[in-house]
């Protein structure tokens, strides 16, 4: 009896990854690169994307990377990004809405400016990117969109009230658009990571939430967080990326409107 191999069908596919320059986004780019995809990194800080593009070139898998400066909170800039991506690699096969931003703070202690940025980046960013990419996917009657949500959006997280609300919105957005576009062969799913802290050696720009957040996980705080996970460790960016690649692939051709937690059992819903 022959060996069963899962066919992902991502070689040569055009994949857009927003925020592909660091942490989970970087791992997602690496994972698609391993499949030989053509990848457009939509990055607020293009220099971060260029570093990842260099890493992909060193992988020597046949994958190619194009870095496009993008602010996902601005719909006009998102539309320009989609146009530039299509000009480089042709119609978009996969969109990964990865960009996210928050600062852990109690709801009553957060300034409104942080709430507004959380809404703009986490919710409006996904709305803008989905809206811009849908016409082309509908026209070719095919496409997969994977949104990075969060377990915070499934259960509500302490010190992350508005962020949790936005990530719940991303889940509902994905499901609603999946219902509207299934007739065209489009698939939308959401992946909910647990806490994924970038490794110390990974550089972050001033725009990254981890520039401010990394100092939180010192003096035993990280070990305390790890006790909340069944495996007694935090997740790795590559583990989230594997789920994203699967949901974007031909192997998940009959999966849409679903929410998958990649969080070591932190939530079970």
């Amino acid at each position: 009896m022959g060996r069963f191999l899962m066919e992902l069908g991502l070689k040569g596919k055009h994949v857009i990854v927003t925020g592909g320059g660091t942490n989970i986004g970087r791992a997602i780019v690496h994972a698609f690169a391993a499949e030989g995809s053509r990848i457009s990194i939509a990055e607020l800080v293009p220099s971060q994307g260029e570093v990842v593009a260099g890493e992909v070139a060193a992988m020597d898998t046949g994958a190619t990377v194009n870095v496009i400066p993008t602010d996902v909170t601005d719909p006009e800039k998102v539309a320009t990004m989609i146009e530039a991506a299509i000009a480089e690699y042709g119609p978009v096969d996969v969109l990964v809405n990865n960009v996210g931003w928050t600062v852990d703070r109690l709801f009553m202690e957060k300034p409104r400016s942080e709430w507004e940025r959380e809404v703009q980046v986490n919710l409006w960013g996904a709305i803008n990117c989905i809206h811009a990419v849908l016409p082309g996917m509908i026209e070719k009657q095919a496409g997969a969109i994977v949104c990075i949500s969060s377990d915070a959006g499934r259960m509500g997280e302490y010190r992350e009230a508005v962020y949790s609300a936005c990530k719940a919105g991303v889940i509902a957005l994905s499901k609603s658009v999946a219902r509207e576009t299934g007739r065209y062969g489009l698939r939308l799913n959401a992946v909910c990571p647990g806490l994924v802290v970038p490794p110390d050696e990974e550089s972050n720009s001033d725009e990254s939430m981890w520039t401010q957040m990394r100092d939180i996980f010192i003096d035993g705080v990280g070990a305390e967080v790890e006790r909340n996970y069944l495996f007694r460790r935090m997740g790795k960016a590559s583990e989230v990326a594997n789920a994203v690649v699967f949901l974007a692939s031909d192997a998940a051709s009959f999966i849409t409107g679903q929410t998958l937690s990649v969080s070591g059992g932190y939530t079970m819903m």
Side-chain angles (χ1 to χ4, degrees), residues 34-66:
E35 297 298 322
S37 301
R38 297 175 297 163
I39 306 158
S40 294
I41 298 178
E43 251 297 338
L44 184 62
V45 184
S47 60
Q48 299 285 140
E50 294 294 349
V51 170
V52 178
E55 294 168 347
V56 168
M59 293 170 65
D60 195 26
T61 61
T64 56
V65 177
N66 178 36

Side-chain angles (χ1 to χ4, degrees), residues 15-38:
V15 181
I16 294 177
V17 181
T18 67
T22 55
N23 203 21
I24 293 175
R26 173 176 173 254
I28 291 170
V29 172
H30 286 179
F32 278 107
E35 297 298 322
S37 301
R38 297 175 297 163

